[in-house]
C-alpha cells in the first residue's frame, strides 16, 4: 500500500522544512512540522513506512533537545513501525535515550544492535560516553 502522491509530497515538504530547522539546531520549531506531517499519515499510522522516518526525526529532535521522556514515548511507538527494528540509527538513538533514563540494560541491548550493524562508525558524531559505556559493557577491546 502506498500513500497518495499529493499527500506524500505534502508530508515530505513538511519534513524537509523540519530537517532544515533541526539541522540548524532549531528543534523547537522543527517539532511542530514533523508532528503536522505525522498527523497526515492515515490510520493505523504504524502500518506506514512514512511513519517510521517521521517518528525517527521526532525521536532525534527530542533526544537532541534532551527531552528523554518524550523521546522514550516516541521510541516505543516507533518500534512498531515498518523497518524500524534493524535500523542502526534508530537502535542507537533508543539506546542513548535508555542510557539517559537510567535503563542501562535496554541501553546496552540497543547500542549493541547499532554497533553490530555499523561498527563504531555509527558513534563517530555522538558523545563519547555512549561508546565508552558500550565498550565497557560488552568488552570491545582496542577499538
Amino acid at each position: 500500500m502506498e500513500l497518495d502522491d499529493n499527500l506524500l509530497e505534502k508530508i515530505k515538504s513538511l519534513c524537509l522544512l523540519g530537517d532544515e530547522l533541526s539541522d540548524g539546531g532549531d528543534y523547537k520549531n522543527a517539532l511542530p512540522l514533523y508532528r503536522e506531517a505525522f498527523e497526515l499519515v492515515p490510520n493505523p499510522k504504524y502500518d506506514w513506512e512514512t511513519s517510521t522516518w517521521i517518528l525517527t526525526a521526532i525521536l532525534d529532535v527530542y533526544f537532541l533537545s534532551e527531552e528523554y521522556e518524550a523521546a522514550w514515548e516516541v521510541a516505543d511507538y516507533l518500534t512498531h513501525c515498518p523497518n524500524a527494528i534493524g535500523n542502526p540509527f534508530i537502535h542507537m538513538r533508543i539506546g542513548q535515550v535508555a542510557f539517559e533514563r537510567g535503563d542501562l540494560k535496554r541501553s546496552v541491548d540497543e547500542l549493541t544492535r547499532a554497533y553490530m550493524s555499523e561498527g563504531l562508525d555509527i558513534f563517530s558524531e555522538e558523545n563519547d560516553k555512549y561508546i565508552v559505556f558500550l565498550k565497557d559493557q560488552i568488552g570491545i577491546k582496542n577499538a
Side-chain angles (χ1 to χ4, degrees):
M1 215 162 49
E2 292 185 21
L3 293 176
D4 171 75
D5 287 342
N6 291 331
L7 178 59
L8 184 58
E9 285 307 311
K10 186 166 185 173
I11 290 170
K12 284 182 178 180
S13 177
L14 287 165
C15 288
L16 284 173
L17 291 172
D19 291 348
E20 288 175 16
L21 292 169
S22 181
D23 290 346
D26 188 357
Y27 309 124
K28 180 181 175 183
N29 289 311
L31 190 56
L33 294 168
Y34 293 133
R35 285 185 177 159
E36 184 179 345
F38 186 63
E39 287 303 314
L40 294 174
V41 177
N43 288 319
K45 294 184 183 302
Y46 55 79
D47 279 353
W48 298 93
E49 191 164 346
T50 305
S51 292
T52 306
W53 44 268
I54 297 170
L55 290 175
T56 300
I58 293 172
L59 172 65
D60 196 40
V61 164
Y62 278 137
F63 172 76
L64 295 170
S65 300
E66 299 180 1
E67 295 183 43
Y68 304 123
E69 292 307 315
W72 192 249
E73 290 178 26
V74 172
D76 184 50
Y77 193 92
L78 175 58
T79 58
H80 299 286
C81 294
N83 301 315
I85 302 299
N87 179 304
F89 181 81
I90 293 171
H91 287 296
M92 179 186 70
R93 275 294 183 254
I94 292 173
Q96 291 168 317
V97 170
F99 178 90
E100 297 300 339
R101 294 179 71 247
D103 186 349
L104 301 183
K105 183 177 178 184
R106 178 74 183 267
S107 180
V108 168
D109 180 57
E110 296 293 342
L111 294 175
T112 300
R113 290 170 189 252
Y115 168 71
M116 296 302 289
S117 293
E118 295 290 319
L120 293 174
D121 290 344
I122 195 164
F123 299 98
S124 66
E125 295 183 26
E126 304 301 317
N127 187 307
D128 288 344
K129 67 183 175 182
Y130 303 110
I131 195 60
V132 168
F133 168 71
L134 183 61
K135 284 180 177 180
D136 180 58
Q137 294 297 306
I138 66 171
I140 301 170
K141 303 287 186 210
N142 300 324

